[in-house]
Amino acid sequence: MRVWRRILKAKIKEIEEKFDSEIRNVSLPEHLEETRVKYLGRKGVLTSLLKQVSALSNDEKPVFGKLLNDLKNNINTKISEKLVDIKSAKKTETKLDITLQGNKPVIGHKHPLTLITQEIKEIFFGLGFETVTGPEIETEYYNFEALNTPADHPARDEHDSFYITSKDLLRTHTSPVQIRVMEKQKPPIRVIAPGRCFRRDATDATHSPIFHQVEGLAIDTNITFGDLKGVLEVFAKQLFGRQTKIRFRPDFFPFTEPSAEYAFSCVNCKGKGCRICKNTGWLEIGGAGMVDPEVFKMMHYDAEKYSGFAFGMGIERIAMIKYHIHDIRMFFENDIRFLRQF
Ligand code: 2U9
């Protein structure tokens, strides 16, 4: 290939590469126009190159002309393609009106059981109770024996349990957490233990095999049943309003003596009787009592020196009363229409 043709080709290649690098960083139509003029304008790179054609021989001219023409077309093509890109980018850019309201991110909701648990923690924190937690898989010792519920104790049936091994089970209440606290800590003790519990209960509107409980324990010198009544009364009023009353009736639990079940005056009818409280005026909340001396013995606490009270309640129960929910399954079916109300 004749020398001049190779030089020409190299020149054209060099121009094209230079053009490509220049156009790559162009982002505005006006700059694109400047580039176009620089290359294709009257005083443009190509135009000046074209002027040299006159100097060539007749058989050289068409080759040179074609090469230049191809370059010109390429440049034109690339310029129109670039304009399209710039416009489309501009369109999106222009479309992006930052003053416009952003798309509201869908913020999740705290689950109603979490809300109630937090409220309960805050109330008892105010009463000097520290929140403690413990393992959901427990040994029979911590879930039963340490709580004065030996193997043959009828109360065990109530707690029909999910056994993992012959000795380990899913805890049926959070009482083992308090036992672990008593092992580690000497009185005074003021703790509440909220958490998940598991019982082999058939699911219905008020029972679920997985449910949440909060239990409380206070141990010190001369703790009385009066202290228990006082604490639960303050809790009731702070949770459901100062008009709420509390009622204790005798009951039995292996780990408390004396024991009682306690109820709050109905939040709906204020005690006059309605469908919610089955016309009793009272809503049963849970059980409580003075820590059974047997439990103190198991924990090597001097039952003569120390006394304590304990109580328990179902968190789903409290949430159903507070939020007027009539079916416990609502908490576990993850229906967004239900959950987003909270
Ligand atoms: C220790 C000593 C005593 C915790 C207690 C209850 C009564 C009780 C129920 C409430 C609703 C279970 O979820 S529920 O069905 N619990 O009624 N719980 S006294 O007694 C203890 C705990 C720990 C060391």
Side-chain angles (χ1 to χ4, degrees):
M1 183 199 291
R2 302 239 189 78
V3 179
W4 64 268
R5 195 177 294 189
R6 221 193 333 279
I7 293 165
L8 177 58
K9 274 192 170 294
K11 180 87 182 118
I12 286 175
K13 194 165 178 316
E14 182 206 324
I15 290 170
E16 187 140 20
E17 278 161 5
K18 205 160 168 310
F19 169 80
D20 289 348
S21 65
E22 274 182 29
I23 203 170
R24 200 171 296 119
N25 316 328
V26 169
S27 61
L28 296 172
E30 49 274 22
H31 293 165
L32 190 59
E33 178 53 19
E34 283 158 17
T35 312
R36 191 191 67 71
V37 170
K38 177 179 174 188
Y39 281 84
L40 305 181
R42 263 179 318 93
K43 295 194 194 61
V45 174
L46 255 73
T47 325
S48 58
L49 211 52
L50 265 167
K51 286 196 184 75
Q52 296 168 33
V53 168
S54 53
L56 297 175
S57 67
N58 289 345
D59 66 344
E60 289 162 338
K61 276 195 181 93
V63 178
F64 192 74
K66 178 169 181 341
L67 285 170
L68 276 189
N69 218 27
D70 294 354
L71 177 57
K72 188 158 137 280
N73 297 341
N74 288 356
I75 288 178
N76 269 324
T77 315
K78 286 176 181 167
I79 284 177
S80 36
E81 281 165 0
K82 186 71 183 184
L83 188 59
V84 172
D85 298 358
I86 288 173
K87 282 213 169 76
S88 62
K90 197 160 183 40
K91 240 200 292 349
T92 44
E93 190 191 289
T94 45
K95 205 157 79 253
L96 178 62
D97 172 353
I98 51 172
T99 66
L100 277 178
Q101 168 68 25
N103 351 344
K104 212 165 168 327
V106 178
I107 304 287
H109 290 246
K110 279 211 166 57
H111 190 285
L113 293 178
T114 307
L115 292 171
I116 287 289
T117 304
Q118 272 168 347
E119 189 174 356
I120 292 172
K121 285 180 184 174
E122 274 141 32
I123 293 171
F124 281 106
F125 181 79
L127 290 162
F129 286 75
E130 174 202 350
T131 295
V132 291
T133 57
E136 292 184 344
I137 296 177
E138 269 296 5
T139 65
E140 276 194 325
Y141 169 76
Y142 281 104
N143 196 79
F144 290 122
E145 268 99 34
L147 287 149
N148 193 29
T149 319
D152 58 355
H153 195 293
R156 288 243 189 153
D157 314 345
E158 255 165 66
H159 289 220
D160 26 6
S161 319
F162 294 105
Y163 273 80
I164 311 274
T165 69
S166 62
K167 279 269 164 264
D168 299 325
L169 67 156
L170 297 181
R171 66 183 181 191
T172 60
H173 49 184
T174 59
S175 312
V177 178
Q178 287 113 294
I179 292 290
R180 291 173 181 280
V181 170
M182 290 176 78
E183 283 181 341
K184 279 200 301 295
Q185 182 187 333
K186 288 291 162 265
I189 290 177
R190 299 242 187 316
V191 295
I192 59 163
R196 270 194 322 181
C197 300
F198 312 83
R199 289 186 191 174
R200 199 185 284 284
D201 274 345
T203 304
D204 61 20
T206 55
H207 290 82
S208 158
I210 297 181
F211 62 101
H212 299 74
Q213 247 195 4
V214 58
E215 292 197 357
L217 178 71
I219 298 178
D220 207 335
T221 50
N222 64 46
I223 292 256
T224 68
F225 204 102
D227 299 321
L228 170 62
K229 293 182 82 169
V231 163
L232 288 178
E233 187 155 17
V234 170
F235 169 67
K237 291 180 182 306
Q238 291 203 15
L239 190 64
F240 290 121
R242 52 191 304 84
Q243 83 294 334
T244 310
K245 294 184 189 51
I246 187 163
R247 177 200 68 188
F248 285 83
R249 291 199 303 193
D251 200 332
F252 171 82
F253 302 104
F255 28 79
T256 50
E257 186 55 43
S259 304
E261 57 93 25
Y262 60 95
F264 295 167
S265 53
C266 179
V267 292
N268 188 50
C269 64
K270 306 289 175 267
K272 287 191 281 308
C274 69
R275 191 174 52 70
I276 304 288
C277 62
K278 302 186 187 69
N279 294 315
T280 64
W282 295 97
L283 297 169
E284 279 185 30
I285 300 295
M290 300 310 286
V291 176
D292 192 297
E294 282 308 311
V295 174
F296 280 132
K297 248 191 251 92
M298 296 283 262
M299 295 296 117
H300 314 301
Y301 278 37
D302 173 355
E304 296 320 312
K305 181 173 174 200
Y306 294 113
S307 61
F309 67 66
F311 57 84
M313 65 189 83
I315 294 178
E316 284 81 4
R317 173 107 177 105
I318 301 284
M320 291 167 83
I321 294 168
K322 185 110 185 178
Y323 300 127
H324 308 296
I325 296 161
H326 308 302
D327 192 318
I328 198 170
R329 290 166 283 204
M330 305 282 270
F331 293 120
F332 307 111
E333 286 166 353
N334 293 331
D335 182 327
I336 198 71
R337 293 166 300 170
F338 167 71
L339 293 174
R340 68 164 166 243
Q341 300 169 85
F342 299 92

